[in-house]
Amino acid sequence: MSTLIRDGTVVTGDGSGVITSGAVVIRDGRIVEVAERWSPETDFEGETIDASGCLVMPGLINCHTHGVTPGALFPSAAAALPEEKWMGNLDRHLLAGTTTVLNLCGFASMEDVRVADRRHAVHVRGATTHLPECLVAASMADGGGLTPQVRGLTVERMLEDGAIAIGELGGGQTLGGGGQDLVYIPAAIEKLTGVRISISQSRRIKEAVLGRFIDVEAFDQAELTAAAQDAGLSGRITIEALKTLVAECVLPSFVPAINGIREGVIESARFGVPAIVHSASATSKVLRELMTETHGNGMQVIAAHANHPSHTPSEARELAALGRDYGWAAEASVFDLLHRKHTVTTREHWDLLLSSPNLVSVLGTDYGRDGEHDELISAVQDVMSRGHRTLAGAIAMATSAVAALIPGIAPNSGTLEAGRMGDVVVTNSEDFRDVRFVFVDGVCVVRDGHLTSEAHR
Ligand SMILES: [Zn+2]
């Protein structure tokens, strides 16, 4: 099976290559030619796609996803998603030009990852957090997806079985962050009072009890009273009971989750695989400690969502700059800050980090509310159109830079060149979210913006 994609602007993914009116030929699953132009007289045996007005780029590689396998969900090992949901999440990635994802729900098994990888055209890769303290933190925060089989797994077994990274170490659910604000605190309050509060009301209540850095010393009675009133809880629950409820939601998993970050980073050096750590105000202390303690041991640590909104913008930049000085890499997550704006309503952190030279090396999505994150490809467009990177540089942050940072995620993808896997995206050059065609291993899985029958297996 052969495909010629011609007359589009070919962005090779290496960070500099751009060919106006170029051509890409895919045959038998591989890219066999990337040409400066395709002469109209040249015969081609196979399908020809006219990509004029479009960009042609490597399939995107998303190193920060959740909910893309039938395994335990999030660092809190919550109950697995139903099949239509995790398959639907993969559909959304694929329709937006992502052809490889790294599942950062570190309690999924490699069997879970292989099931997803087999069933869906997207290449699904696995990471692990099967470590004692991480397991305690997950059990305390949720643990609804922990089966006896998962409890018996180890990082060593997972890596032997094909996992490529240790992560996500820590998370909003186990560290009193967004996952608590969004899910666990509102659920506990609703159970006790019958009142459903919003994510911002939940965050305000939590910060009145524990501050931004999760510290019992930060308790502010007057602010909690005001926050409770604002959330419609006056008369439904006493301030003392509300304080206890928040502390009981957040604190049990907090210390083990911090310890889990520590043990994961140390293990990553032992096994020579990258560690991916949850960067947020709650973890900034332990991350700073680890930067100095483990400096020079040769491991690659990646700070996930270095632009996390629990940091102030300047805290985020300072932590990322310190990390850079210690050889850590930073990933910026788009969350839903560009379009949907359910969970992140500011782009201040995003712009500040991305406009600082060499602070962020790769882009990801994270999960957003119920999986409704903005598309990785729109993050790429935003980074370019805001002038943070060139077109070629922005695309590299979701292709070759990811492949280079995490060996094993996409060993033979991430650039358009002869011999590489046939993972190729054709998208509208004005609006990158308008993805027209996607090829995975040379097979057309998105055609005219719709999934083909080859997308599911
Ligand atoms: Zn995270």
Side-chain angles (χ1 to χ4, degrees), residues 58-316:
L60 302 189
I61 306 166
N62 189 340
C63 62
H64 194 155
T65 71
H66 295 281
V68 290
T69 80
L73 193 66
F74 300 135
S76 54
L81 293 172
E83 181 179 310
E84 64 270 20
K85 181 72 184 169
W86 62 259
M87 285 288 280
N89 286 339
L90 285 169
D91 285 347
R92 296 190 333 105
H93 284 297
L94 188 61
L95 284 164
T98 294
T99 54
T100 302
V101 296
L102 175 58
N103 178 46
L104 286 189
C105 298
F107 284 106
S109 70
M110 282 311 293
E111 187 48 36
D112 296 324
V113 172
R114 278 191 292 267
V115 166
D117 191 41
R118 258 195 320 262
R119 295 282 316 280
H120 204 282
V122 171
H123 303 295
V124 183
R125 310 290 190 222
T128 166
T129 52
H130 297 86
L131 291 157
E133 290 286 320
C134 294
L135 188 61
V136 173
S139 315
M140 294 288 182
D142 189 319
L146 290 172
T147 59
Q149 183 232 358
V150 166
R151 288 177 186 277
L153 284 170
T154 61
V155 159
E156 193 162 14
R157 282 271 315 276
M158 285 287 290
L159 294 172
E160 278 168 11
D161 203 14
I164 57 165
I166 297 179
E168 181 179 2
L169 293 163
Q173 303 80 11
T174 54
L175 285 160
Q180 282 287 351
D181 302 337
L182 187 64
V183 182
Y184 298 110
I185 293 172
I189 288 177
E190 188 174 15
K191 199 170 159 207
L192 217 64
T193 65
V195 178
R196 185 74 196 174
I197 64 168
S198 72
I199 177 173
S200 56
Q201 291 167 332
S202 168
R203 180 175 301 133
R204 185 175 173 197
I205 288 171
K206 181 195 73 191
E207 291 186 357
V209 179
L210 294 166
R212 280 200 307 121
F213 300 97
I214 312 299
D215 177 359
V216 286
E217 300 291 316
F219 175 59
D220 181 337
Q221 173 115 17
E223 170 60 10
L224 183 58
T225 307
Q229 190 167 10
D230 171 66
L233 296 171
S234 310
R236 306 262 190 168
I237 182 170
T238 66
I239 294 305
E240 203 46 43
L242 187 57
K243 181 185 172 191
T244 306
L245 176 150
V246 170
E248 282 176 355
C249 269
V250 173
L251 292 179
S253 60
F254 188 80
V255 171
I258 295 287
N259 293 340
I261 294 177
R262 217 166 244 298
E263 74 185 344
V265 169
I266 290 164
E267 290 291 90
S268 86
R270 186 154 82 98
F271 292 110
V273 293
I276 299 168
V277 298
H278 175 90
S279 170
S281 56
T283 61
S284 64
K285 182 164 168 276
V286 69
L287 298 189
R288 281 166 194 273
E289 289 166 3
L290 284 166
M291 282 172 195
T292 50
E293 285 168 23
T294 61
H295 187 49
N297 75 356
M299 88 236 147
Q300 179 65 66
V301 184
I302 302 161
H305 45 59
N307 58 316
H308 198 278
S310 64
H311 300 296
T312 64
S314 57
E315 282 169 2

Side-chain angles (χ1 to χ4, degrees), residues 204-433:
R204 185 175 173 197
I205 288 171
K206 181 195 73 191
E207 291 186 357
V209 179
L210 294 166
R212 280 200 307 121
F213 300 97
I214 312 299
D215 177 359
V216 286
E217 300 291 316
F219 175 59
D220 181 337
Q221 173 115 17
E223 170 60 10
L224 183 58
T225 307
Q229 190 167 10
D230 171 66
L233 296 171
S234 310
R236 306 262 190 168
I237 182 170
T238 66
I239 294 305
E240 203 46 43
L242 187 57
K243 181 185 172 191
T244 306
L245 176 150
V246 170
E248 282 176 355
C249 269
V250 173
L251 292 179
S253 60
F254 188 80
V255 171
I258 295 287
N259 293 340
I261 294 177
R262 217 166 244 298
E263 74 185 344
V265 169
I266 290 164
E267 290 291 90
S268 86
R270 186 154 82 98
F271 292 110
V273 293
I276 299 168
V277 298
H278 175 90
S279 170
S281 56
T283 61
S284 64
K285 182 164 168 276
V286 69
L287 298 189
R288 281 166 194 273
E289 289 166 3
L290 284 166
M291 282 172 195
T292 50
E293 285 168 23
T294 61
H295 187 49
N297 75 356
M299 88 236 147
Q300 179 65 66
V301 184
I302 302 161
H305 45 59
N307 58 316
H308 198 278
S310 64
H311 300 296
T312 64
S314 57
E315 282 169 2
R317 183 172 61 181
E318 215 180 289
L319 188 62
L322 192 66
R324 178 188 56 194
D325 295 345
Y326 281 100
W328 289 26
E331 171 252 328
S333 285
V334 68
F335 302 112
D336 53 8
L337 66 89
L338 298 179
H339 308 291
R340 294 170 176 82
K341 299 182 181 163
H342 297 305
T343 62
V344 180
T345 51
T346 170
R347 51 176 299 141
E348 233 185 309
H349 307 67
W350 175 259
D351 285 326
L352 186 62
L353 262 65
L354 285 160
S355 62
S356 312
N358 307 320
L359 223 46
V360 177
S361 34
V362 293
L363 303 175
T365 57
D366 204 349
Y367 199 56
R369 187 188 75 179
D370 207 21
E372 291 177 61
H373 53 80
D374 291 334
E375 298 79 0
L376 183 59
I377 203 162
S378 64
V380 168
Q381 181 166 22
D382 185 79
V383 167
M384 175 208 68
S385 60
R386 293 274 166 158
H388 299 322
R389 300 288 190 281
T390 61
L391 170 66
I395 289 175
M397 293 179 87
T399 56
S400 64
V402 190
L405 187 61
I406 307 175
I409 195 170
N412 203 18
S413 304
T415 55
L416 300 179
E417 55 185 304
R420 295 283 177 161
M421 299 307 297
D423 297 348
V424 182
V425 173
V426 179
T427 195
N428 184 338
S429 58
E430 299 296 316
D431 177 4
F432 294 10
R433 291 207 285 175

Side-chain angles (χ1 to χ4, degrees), residues 1-10 21-27 37-39 42-57 422-428 434-440 442-450 452:
M1 189 166 48
S2 303
T3 309
L4 163 64
I5 304 167
R6 55 178 296 180
D7 300 332
T9 299
V10 176
S21 266
V24 175
V25 180
I26 310 170
R27 185 173 302 129
R37 66 183 289 274
W38 193 269
S39 150
T42 315
D43 280 341
F44 183 76
E45 198 119 342
E47 183 181 13
T48 299
I49 289 171
D50 175 4
S52 43
C54 290
L55 296 177
V56 184
M57 63 177 85
D423 297 348
V424 182
V425 173
V426 179
T427 195
N428 184 338
D434 179 14
V435 170
R436 305 283 174 79
F437 290 87
V438 180
F439 294 83
V440 172
V443 176
C444 185
V445 287
V446 173
R447 177 180 293 277
D448 299 321
H450 299 284
T452 69

